[in-house]
Amino acid sequence: MPSNKSVSDAPIVQFTNCRILRDHQLQREDLWVREGKILNPEKLFFDEKGSADVQLDCKDSIIAPGFIDVQINGGFGVDFSLATDDFKSGIDLVSQKILSHGVTSFCPTLVTSPPSVYHQVLPQISVRNGGAHGAGILGAHLEGPFISKEKKGAHPEHCLRTFEAGAFQDLLATYGSLDCVQIVTLAPEMRRSSEVIRELTKRGICVSLGHSVANLSQAEEAVQHGATFITHLFNAMLPFHHRDPGIVGLLTSDKIPAGRRVFYGMISDGIHTNPAALRIAHRAHPKGLVLVTDAIAGMGLAPGRHTLGQQVVEIDGLNTYIAGTKTLSGSVATMDTCVRHFQEATGCSVETALEAASLHPAQLLGIEHKKGTLNYDSDADFLMLNDNLYVQATYIAGEEVWRQDVLGM
Amino acid sequence: MKLIILENYSQASEWAAKYIRNRIVQFGPGPGRFFTLGLPTGLPRDHPESYHSFMWNNFFKHIDISPENVHILDGNAPDLQAECDAFEEKIKAAGGIELFVGGIGPDGHIAFNEPGSSLVSRTRVKTLAMDTILANARFFDGDLSKVPTMALTVGVGTVMDAREVMILITGAHKAFALYKAIEDGVNHMWTVSAFQQHPKTVFVCDEDATLELKVKTVKYFKGLMLVHNKLVEPLYSMKETGAERSQSKKPYSD
């Protein structure tokens, strides 16, 4: 290549022979990366008179933004709701392993736990960039304990709490610190929830409605106070009723404040939601759908018994239940499996399926200016996938951090 | 001139592309030996519809050209006339234009040399005619107030200095301009007509563009297609060695 007159010495990599997901479409374009960010090649060409230092042939792969998992309780034997001595190495292990599922950023999730667990675990979670060591941590997702007894699902009843006495102060006392917290799931029908929602939203924390028996107007009020997410739609909430749609009704509510969008998590593992229900939700509000795994410690391991915070769960194939019951508790699905299943079940385009796991979670967390897209100047976190949406390679900040072993490991 | 008539837009484009390819290969470009391609110029730089964007998306990003070998007139230069003069110097420094490729406006203009432009003009600033503004409105959501009214352009004289000129004309809306360009006299109101006095011009068009020509003209040139097609078959490649290339017969030219 002729001498590169670009302004910076940093190497410029040009990924060619690929189809990239940009502007909601797969386009036959090259992807240019410099210093961990997506580069604008036209500006490089005309303004800097620069050219690529390295050209990589992607063999006609699809290049999509890295997946963002906003609800993952653990995996590979690690449980984020267990205050163990080697908690830090546990979170490191999971963040490294999920690279092979295409996840480049995630929110480690803690289920309902006693305050002591939060006080010990939360200080050990820090927001950090991803890299060869593993996927980036965006912040913790605290699912509970301020949830409804009737819809506790797999959460332990003795740890449930309310905040009717001291509202936000109660919440702060329970968790100890909100420094690295990105999302809080609570039940909006609880007394004084509006104050709590407003206070959390003011601090930039995303409030999610879940494990609740709220009716539609309670849910709408919560949204007006700042709630923007629904935790695993359909699961752990009142079923849709035509005269009171409950939380599910938020998907088509006309009381959402202008300029705001309500997002909803869906575990598309084929078990948590019937494909027909998945399709109804998707068709009602396609732009709000966020794919999550809700994966538990047993994900990535052989079937058997594992923990989920204070509970014991049994895994049998893809089904994960509280031991001895038929209560679903998390999943063992991986993010890329969820993307594929979502695409098959809804018959949606490849672009839509990929955006549900990348663009939409980024929009939910308000970080789409740097994550979740392949726009110029975004962080270069991306995946190479084949046409069947199997991840072939994972890149974070422009560096390859995982590649599918040809021998199929 | 050679008038090459193909059936439709895609065939005309393909013929022109093959011709240009063969010309480049036979020229034998290399370091210091530039095949200089001239193209008409236009709008200001940082607009998504700017000429820079157009050239990047439709040409530069698909080829391995080095950015320092790309010279596009800068509509935002502080001294526009100096920019134009410098452009003329750059053309001289590169050894002159080997092949100029351009289109034709519905008003018969070449580049932005609007009706009334001097047939010996050089690179300069031009105010665009209403016909041209209307034609460009489609790039600005049909909003006439958003279309630029001035452009930097190579002059008719500048293009006449090129060793070869290729004009691409497709579509019925260009038919009258083509008629004026080749069947009428040399006239500064139809600036493309200047090329009647150029030693080596190729006009590539589709059937629709010939609608205003005499049947006799069209039949004559269609009859020559057997000869003209030898210019694009065989298709040469840079990968052939120098010896093979120089041995290949120079295509017969009319």
Side-chain angles (χ1 to χ4, degrees), chain A residues 2-3 5 29 41-43 45-47 49-50, chain B residues 45 52-53 56 60-61 65-68 70 72:
Chain A
S3 70
K5 296 213 183 73
E29 292 281 346
E42 192 186 327
K43 257 176 96 181
F45 188 84
F46 288 120
D47 292 350
K49 306 244 187 282
Chain B
R45 155 87 181 92
H52 287 75
S53 293
W56 168 257
F60 300 137
K61 78 178 181 199
I65 188 168
S66 32
E68 55 262 14
V70 172
I72 298 187

Side-chain angles (χ1 to χ4, degrees), chain B:
Chain B
M1 79 167 174
K2 297 188 190 60
L3 179 63
I4 315 287
I5 304 171
L6 281 311
E7 205 177 301
N8 56 39
Y9 178 83
S10 340
Q11 287 189 11
S13 309
E14 200 180 318
W15 196 100
K18 288 180 174 168
Y19 181 79
I20 295 174
R21 171 176 160 167
N22 272 355
R23 279 288 270 114
I24 293 176
V25 172
Q26 283 173 334
F27 176 83
R33 184 170 157 78
F34 299 110
F35 185 93
T36 309
L37 203 57
L39 299 145
T41 53
L43 315 161
R45 155 87 181 92
D46 40 6
H47 192 280
E49 293 297 344
S50 78
Y51 204 69
H52 287 75
S53 293
F54 179 85
M55 290 306 296
W56 168 257
N57 284 312
N58 291 299
F59 190 39
F60 300 137
K61 78 178 181 199
H62 303 281
I63 58 174
D64 62 350
I65 188 168
S66 32
E68 55 262 14
N69 287 337
V70 172
H71 308 283
I72 298 187
L73 281 170
D74 179 9
N76 291 324
D79 182 346
L80 292 178
Q81 194 51 51
E83 169 76 8
C84 294
D85 295 338
F87 195 74
E88 291 273 344
E89 288 304 314
K90 282 188 215 160
I91 293 175
K92 265 211 263 303
I97 297 178
E98 184 66 32
L99 172 64
F100 183 93
V101 179
I104 187 178
D107 57 3
H109 71 229
I110 176 69
F112 283 114
N113 293 287
E114 306 287 55
S117 296
S118 158
L119 297 180
V120 293
S121 49
R122 310 303 304 184
T123 306
R124 69 218 183 286
V125 185
K126 279 297 285 185
T127 306
L128 303 180
M130 182 46 95
D131 263 351
T132 307
I133 294 176
L134 287 170
N136 284 335
R138 72 185 195 270
F139 297 121
F140 295 88
D141 299 322
D143 184 350
L144 287 182
S145 63
K146 294 206 182 112
V147 186
T149 52
M150 316 230 322
L152 299 185
T153 180
V154 286
V156 183
T158 318
V159 183
M160 285 290 286
D161 283 348
R163 284 184 278 285
E164 184 169 355
V165 177
M166 171 187 263
I167 310 288
L168 295 153
I169 308 152
T170 54
H173 58 302
K174 301 283 174 84
F176 192 74
L178 178 58
Y179 150 67
K180 279 291 186 187
I182 64 176
E183 283 187 344
D184 241 6
V186 174
N187 188 328
H188 68 173
M189 284 303 172
W190 301 89
T191 46
V192 182
S193 62
F195 300 123
Q196 291 178 25
Q197 300 199 301
H198 189 287
K200 203 170 171 198
T201 313
V202 181
F203 284 85
V204 181
C205 61
D206 64 355
E207 290 279 355
D208 284 346
T210 62
L211 287 173
E212 295 279 357
L213 298 179
K214 288 210 177 74
V215 174
K216 187 161 128 179
T217 312
V218 173
K219 283 194 170 188
Y220 172 67
F221 284 105
K222 276 193 174 168
L224 285 174
M225 278 312 284
L226 222 60
V227 171
H228 289 157
N229 276 334
K230 293 210 180 107
L231 295 167
V232 294
E233 282 148 31
L235 209 52
Y236 295 112
S237 163
M238 289 297 292
K239 301 188 187 108
E240 288 159 2
T241 67
E244 277 170 23
R245 254 188 271 142
S246 59
Q247 263 165 33
S248 64
K249 268 176 52 179
K250 249 206 99 167
Y252 167 70
S253 76
D254 200 286

